Amino acid sequence: MMKKIFILVFLSSILFSCNIFKCKKNDSVSKLDGIWELNYITGPKIAFDGLYPNKKPTINFDTKENKVFGNNSCNSFTGKLVVTGNKIDFTQPMAVTKMMCLDGQGEQVFMKTLQKVTSYDITDDGKTLNFISGDIAMMRFTKK
């Protein structure tokens, strides 16, 4: 009888700890939720304000619906959110509107850089979102 109780308690503690871990994982992913505005992008020789003179790109996350959407400084985009822990994948096809943009290369730079991102990190008490490729910071956003 004592052995059965021990096994029951042991299995319950494993299930309970798995649920706690799962909650923490979901909780960290849920920190992505909301609107983020781009304030840094790597790569182009053009100054940030030259790339985005009129409107900075934004990205919005809905982790409950597994959706990502936003504006790349001219056109809107939307797609499936693919995130596991701190790994994030923007290589899935996204729907993008086709308005004519007169701001130059900013839109293309944003979309191409997004596809290179492999992970993310949220810092500054949830106010800064960094998109990373390997160990290189590719993009930085501020919570709106």
Side-chain angles (χ1 to χ4, degrees):
M1 180 70 178
M2 191 68 168
K3 194 173 187 179
K4 286 182 182 177
I5 292 172
F6 176 75
I7 290 172
L8 186 61
V9 169
F10 180 72
L11 290 175
S12 296
S13 68
I14 288 175
L15 290 173
F16 183 69
S17 66
C18 289
N19 285 338
I20 288 172
F21 179 71
K22 205 176 209 180
C23 290
K24 282 186 185 282
K25 183 178 171 188
N26 289 341
D27 190 44
S28 70
V29 169
S30 71
K31 288 180 182 176
L32 281 171
D33 280 328
I35 303 170
W36 300 86
E37 184 177 74
L38 186 71
N39 62 32
Y40 166 82
I41 191 163
T42 189
K45 303 280 186 259
I46 302 166
F48 183 82
D49 290 336
L51 277 175
Y52 308 108
N54 300 319
K55 185 177 183 181
K56 293 180 186 176
T58 58
I59 192 163
N60 306 5
F61 295 96
D62 182 343
T63 59
K64 288 179 182 63
E65 297 292 323
N66 282 327
K67 291 183 181 174
V68 59
F69 52 97
N71 187 288
N72 60 24
S73 78
C74 177
N75 282 291
S76 297
F77 63 89
T78 185
K80 183 179 180 215
L81 176 60
V82 181
V83 63
T84 308
N86 76 327
K87 301 293 181 208
I88 196 161
D89 179 5
F90 293 108
T91 60
Q92 304 297 314
M94 288 199 200
V96 182
T97 58
K98 299 282 186 193
M99 293 186 342
M100 190 173 102
C101 306
L102 301 174
D103 288 346
Q105 305 171 4
E107 178 184 22
Q108 290 83 12
V109 169
F110 180 82
M111 297 307 287
K112 285 180 181 174
T113 306
L114 206 55
Q115 294 216 331
K116 297 174 185 172
V117 170
T118 56
S119 63
Y120 72 93
D121 182 28
I122 298 174
T123 59
D124 297 332
D125 293 324
K127 295 180 194 135
T128 302
L129 169 64
N130 300 290
F131 282 165
I132 303 157
S133 179
D135 60 354
I136 299 167
M138 303 295 283
M139 305 167 105
R140 186 177 58 236
F141 296 80
T142 304
K143 187 85 175 216
K144 295 299 289 173

